[in-house]
Amino acid sequence: VARTPCDRPLIFEYDLGAENPEQENSCTQNVYQVGTFGTDQVSDACLSIVTHIAHASAYQKLRTEEQLGYIVQAGPWVDGYVGGLTVLVQGNRLPPKEADLRIEAWLKQFGTEIAQMTDSEFETIVQAAVNERTQRLSSLSQETLKHWGEIATRRYLFDRTALVVEALRALKKEDVLQFFERYFSEGGSERRKVSVRVLGTSASDQPTTEACLHTLEDLRSYQATSDWWELPADVAVSSQT
């Protein structure tokens, strides 16, 4: 998985309206990379909390109040061993470059919401995340998929749920705030952003003015010169044996 630089966002823009004149809807998906799973239990727990509560906050602000699109989602992003936060807005009200600004404004507000939580509210959210992780599997196929996920990725951490729950229960609100400031706040030391923007006919005349990629060739050139997230140490070792 390519590692996005901290000093500037990676923007990919595709003019779907030019290919399909009937498609008026645009879509903006922002991904904020955090890093490799399993290397820091506290970081993993913080990401679980942030993504657990992000959807309701984003939906309330971007869908209910601002009515930016008929699809608004926020939650965990996973690609291989790398995780983060993703926010998606789809509709025809705003061009993607404007939707991106609204997402960034919501993200700032979201950080404030976390900071203003009482200790009791935070504990309730942590418990909800624990309950979600420890929910009893309803079928043999679900349990099989859970264990096969460890085998297929060569992690073999079959007690992962217990470790995650332990990390969640030890979490403090200050841990989440510091995590949020580092990875998601504008100017954060480890903020890595990817913005994918698909233009419908409603936004074809309002392209992004920032430097961005447009074609498959652009993406291949970027990948050829970018840094990559390293595999977790245990996976790197087992893949060589």
Side-chain angles (χ1 to χ4, degrees):
V1 179
R3 178 186 292 188
T4 308
C6 294
D7 58 343
R8 65 189 183 282
L10 170 64
I11 303 173
F12 177 82
E13 184 175 84
Y14 177 68
D15 190 353
L16 180 60
E19 301 291 334
N20 181 7
E22 301 299 321
Q23 181 57 266
E24 66 174 2
N25 291 307
S26 298
C27 182
T28 305
Q29 182 176 15
N30 287 359
V31 171
Y32 303 87
Q33 295 181 332
V34 170
T36 305
F37 284 123
T39 58
D40 185 334
Q41 292 291 341
V42 175
S43 179
D44 289 351
C46 287
L47 181 59
S48 293
I49 293 298
V50 170
T51 56
H52 180 79
I53 60 179
H55 176 71
S57 175
Y59 193 90
Q60 174 64 28
K61 181 64 177 178
L62 302 177
R63 176 69 175 86
T64 304
E65 296 179 16
E66 298 189 0
Q67 299 184 359
L68 297 188
Y70 61 91
I71 295 178
V72 172
Q73 300 173 347
W77 169 82
V78 179
D79 188 351
Y81 301 107
V82 183
L85 170 70
T86 183
V87 186
L88 182 146
V89 173
Q90 182 173 320
N92 61 7
R93 183 179 177 190
L94 291 177
K97 65 179 182 180
E98 298 295 333
D100 172 73
L101 294 177
R102 299 294 185 92
I103 291 172
E104 289 295 335
W106 163 75
L107 195 58
K108 182 177 181 180
Q109 174 187 303
F110 183 43
T112 301
E113 291 174 11
I114 297 174
Q116 293 177 345
M117 283 181 185
T118 64
D119 291 340
S120 177
E121 290 172 332
F122 181 78
E123 290 173 3
T124 298
I125 289 169
V126 169
Q127 187 58 51
V130 169
N131 292 343
E132 186 178 81
R133 292 279 187 167
T134 57
Q135 184 175 11
R136 185 170 182 174
L137 299 176
S138 61
S139 67
L140 181 60
S141 62
Q142 287 183 334
E143 186 168 1
T144 301
L145 287 173
K146 176 183 176 182
H147 295 315
W148 186 252
E150 296 295 334
I151 297 169
T153 58
R154 301 185 181 184
R155 302 302 297 272
Y156 311 118
L157 197 60
F158 298 108
D159 60 343
R160 183 182 302 279
T161 297
L163 295 175
V164 170
V165 168
E166 182 181 359
L168 283 169
R169 286 178 170 158
L171 209 59
K172 305 298 182 184
K173 189 177 80 170
E174 290 71 21
D175 297 327
V176 178
L177 288 173
Q178 292 175 7
F179 174 85
F180 191 95
E181 181 68 26
R182 181 180 182 184
Y183 291 103
F184 304 132
S185 293
E186 187 173 3
S189 61
E190 293 294 329
R191 177 177 154 120
R192 303 176 187 275
K193 174 183 173 182
V194 180
S195 185
V196 179
R197 306 171 184 181
V198 179
L199 278 61
T201 55
S202 60
S204 292
D205 60 343
Q206 302 181 65
T208 299
T209 55
E210 303 169 80
C212 57
L213 310 180
H214 292 281
T215 67
L216 182 59
E217 289 71 24
D218 290 342
L219 287 173
R220 287 171 175 165
S221 296
Y222 175 82
Q223 287 183 322
T225 59
S226 65
D227 293 330
W228 297 81
W229 292 101
E230 295 182 0
L231 289 174
D234 52 347
V235 175
V237 170
S238 64
S239 65
Q240 295 173 3
T241 60

